[in-house]
Amino acid sequence: FLGLTALSASAATEMPPLPDVTGDKVQADGDFKIKFSIGTTESGAQYRGLEYFEKIVEQRSDGNIQVDLFPVAQLGDDREATSALQAGTLEMTMPSTSPLVNMFPQFAVFDLPFLFPQPEMADAVLDGEIGQQMLEDASSQGLVAIGWGENGYRQLTNSQHPVEKPEDLDGLKIRTMENDLHLDIWRTLGANPTPMSFAELFTALEQGVVDGQENPWITIESSKFNEVQDYATETNHVYTPFITLVSARFWDRLPEDYQALVRDAATKMGDYQREVSRTLNDQIKQDLKDSGMQITELSPEQVKVFQDQLEPVYEDWRDQIGGELIDDIREQVQQAQEQ
Ligand code: KDG
């Protein structure tokens, strides 16, 4: 290919330095260890957020809480890590909400296609009453949900050909998260979706078990999917949040002052992840182009074709998710758009 070796994307884009820790030291009795597991790699925005969390908690607890980070699903994929929290064998994880809808059906609202036209609208919902209520509701079944983070807008990649319109997806094998609404989206568009955990994804792409997948630019780059996927389409079809979960067994042993510290650090981590992911998004898209990926950017009219084809998904899932919740969010989004 022109005799050029593709530049590694991560070589081009650097993570911003971690912010300084603010806030007083917190005194409480006991020494604690937090093993914090995620599925994405050390070079992603999610991990950068975790590093900030570690720095805040360790500095402000004066080393009494030690945080150890485990990326790339070393301690299990999203569902396995969540089960480990319930069993009390792992202290923290930060999965996408999508593979957890079997436990928390309302999370499926975030899987609805093209729900949030701007990331700030997702922030308003997650940080507002709806998001806070969801954290409370998810603080059950052996888990304590203490904050949101940003996974981001998902983009389609594949190994076969450029995708500009739904017909181009005909028969393409697309990996989705383990979530029925995502399966519905890709079936409705004419693709052939297969659910799979993130931990299995690179190998599945490499071996051609699936032709494509969808994830934010930053994940495509940090997981090196561009090395096994030549084509991408900037679809922005779903905005997925991350949710910060703690094992209830661990939480109940933590002195209240430390609980407050961990909660505060989780909020700061989430805000920082949003900032990193948004700052780097376009830059990383450019790095991916520079590395040889062919990226199709859709016009608003082309996006509308996908959107219109997916509108029935809203009706199909209305009862299961709750019509009132969907209407509330759509109304908030509408109001924000009019401002
Ligand atoms: O750390 C999070 C990952 O495990 C996963 O949730 C990323 O969006 C993701 C996916 O596609 O599974």
Side-chain angles (χ1 to χ4, degrees), residues 177-232:
M177 290 189 281
E178 297 160 295
N179 175 292
D180 289 342
L181 206 159
H182 281 251
L183 287 171
D184 195 10
I185 290 177
W186 294 100
R187 278 198 197 114
T188 304
L189 292 172
N192 179 5
T194 309
M196 187 187 294
S197 87
F198 186 74
E200 296 170 274
L201 181 52
F202 184 87
T203 310
L205 292 170
E206 193 180 34
Q207 296 182 346
V209 175
V210 288
D211 301 312
Q213 65 84 44
E214 39 85 64
N215 253 296
W217 295 129
I218 199 145
T219 304
I220 293 167
E221 184 260 357
S222 61
S223 290
K224 300 192 190 319
F225 293 156
N226 56 311
E227 292 184 2
V228 286
Q229 301 273 275
D230 287 341
Y231 305 97

Side-chain angles (χ1 to χ4, degrees), residues 314-323 326:
Y314 276 79
E315 268 320 303
D316 296 347
W317 285 83
R318 202 175 160 80
D319 289 345
Q320 210 155 318
I321 296 173
I326 299 177

Side-chain angles (χ1 to χ4, degrees), residues 40-84:
T40 53
T41 74
E42 262 167 301
S43 52
Q46 186 179 25
Y47 189 82
R48 195 67 179 156
L50 261 64
E51 288 180 309
Y52 187 37
F53 174 86
E54 175 183 27
K55 184 170 163 183
I56 299 171
V57 170
E58 290 188 347
Q59 282 191 21
R60 293 189 56 203
S61 71
D62 224 354
N64 287 347
I65 309 178
Q66 190 192 319
V67 181
D68 292 323
L69 307 180
F70 296 89
V72 279
Q74 287 167 56
L75 303 183
D77 61 33
D78 285 351
R79 284 182 174 181
E80 289 163 345
T82 305
S83 299

